[in-house]
Amino acid sequence: MDVEIWSDVVCPWCYIGKRRFEEALAGFDHRDEVAVTYRSFQLDPSAPATSEGDPVERLAAKYGMSRAQAEAAQARVTANAATEGLDFHLDKAQSGNTFDAHRLIHYANTVGKQAALKERLMAAYFVEGKPIGDRNVLLGLGVEEGLDETAVRTVLDGDAYADAVRHDELEARQLGINGVPFFVLDRAYGVSGAQPAETLRAALQEAWTASHPLQMVTTGATDTTCSDESCPV
C-alpha cells in the first residue's frame, strides 16, 4: 500500500502528525507492506530565504493577534507536541523559504534517505532553532544524514528537483489539498490534519481492506457451515 504525506518542514502540526502516523503505522499489521512518500507543500512560497525578527511577533502579525495571543497559541502547539514526545522551541524558530529544503528531500528520496532527512530537517527547525532556508545549514544537515556532500552541494547550487516540488504542489491543488498535513492512501483515501493515531490506523486498515478484498474459492463441496440457527447434518 502506498501512503503519500503532503507537508511542510515548518508546519508544527505536520511534525505532530508525523509522529502520530508513525505510531499508527507501528501498530498496523501490514506495516512492512506500506511504502511512505513525503510530498512537498509550501505554506508560504513567497517567504524570503531567512526571516528576521522575533518569531512571536511574526506570528502575531501574520494572524492579526496580540503578542499575548501569539504566545498562548505557541504554548498550545508546544503542549500538543510534548504529548508526542517532541520538545518544541518555537520561541527560537528561524523561519524562511522551504523550497530548497523540499528539493533536498526529493534528492534524498532517490538514495533511500527521504524519511531520515525529513525528520532531521523538522527537528532542526522546531527543536534546535536552525534557519531552515539557509543553504549552508541544509548542506550540513544533509551530510549529517549520510548524504554525499558533493551531490548535496550540486542540488542546492542549481535547480535540481525544482520541477518535482512544483509537481507535488500542483497535485495537491488537483486533489483539493489546501492544508497540511494531508495523508493520501493508495490515491483513494484522504485524511486531513494531525489526526489521532487510532484514526490514522483505522484509515490504514480501511484502505488495506479495500485494496485487498477477500477472494472466495468455490469448490462445489456440500455446504458445511453453520448459520445462526442451524447446522447441516
Side-chain angles (χ1 to χ4, degrees):
M1 182 167 68
D2 293 320
V3 176
E4 298 162 280
I5 304 173
W6 269 263
S7 63
D8 200 357
V9 294
V10 296
C11 162
W13 286 106
C14 292
Y15 203 4
I16 294 169
K18 182 176 183 294
R19 279 291 182 275
R20 291 176 178 174
F21 176 76
E22 289 165 350
E23 180 184 345
L25 187 60
F28 182 54
D29 289 342
H30 307 285
R31 56 187 172 275
D32 293 336
E33 297 175 74
V34 177
V36 179
T37 303
Y38 290 97
R39 299 296 185 191
S40 303
F41 189 103
Q42 287 184 278
L43 291 176
D44 186 2
S46 65
T50 56
S51 298
E52 303 294 333
D54 179 5
V56 177
E57 288 298 332
R58 288 200 303 270
L59 180 67
K62 182 176 182 179
Y63 293 104
M65 301 175 173
S66 67
R67 182 177 180 86
Q69 289 173 321
E71 288 175 336
Q74 285 195 340
R76 286 193 295 272
V77 172
T78 299
N80 273 284
T83 65
E84 306 302 330
L86 296 170
D87 184 23
F88 278 11
H89 292 279
L90 299 178
D91 57 317
K92 61 180 184 180
Q94 298 187 59
S95 190
N97 196 292
T98 59
F99 192 75
D100 285 338
H102 284 296
R103 290 198 300 121
L104 197 57
I105 290 169
H106 272 282
Y107 163 67
N109 193 38
T110 69
V111 293
K113 292 184 177 293
Q114 189 190 47
L117 183 65
K118 180 78 169 183
E119 175 66 25
R120 186 67 191 94
L121 294 180
M122 296 182 105
Y125 178 75
F126 286 106
V127 180
E128 301 163 22
K130 294 185 183 296
I132 206 64
D134 187 302
R135 289 186 174 183
N136 288 326
V137 170
L138 291 173
L139 173 64
L141 294 171
V143 172
E144 277 185 32
E145 287 305 319
L147 298 178
D148 179 77
E149 182 174 353
T150 300
V152 172
R153 284 187 186 277
T154 300
V155 170
L156 294 175
D157 289 344
D159 63 355
Y161 304 100
D163 287 345
V165 174
R166 295 188 183 103
H167 182 264
D168 281 355
E169 295 177 331
L170 174 61
E171 280 202 311
R173 293 192 294 271
Q174 292 173 337
L175 292 169
I177 300 171
N178 52 30
V180 287
F182 199 98
F183 305 83
V184 176
L185 288 63
D186 272 344
R187 287 294 172 111
Y189 294 82
V191 181
S192 177
Q195 300 296 330
E198 55 269 25
T199 300
L200 292 167
R201 191 177 300 120
L204 286 169
Q205 186 59 60
E206 185 171 350
W208 179 270
T209 300
S211 61
H212 298 78
L214 183 65
Q215 299 296 318
M216 299 300 294
V217 177
T218 302
T219 63
T222 303
D223 188 10
T224 54
T225 61
C226 294
S227 65
D228 291 340
E229 299 180 359
S230 65
C231 293
V233 295

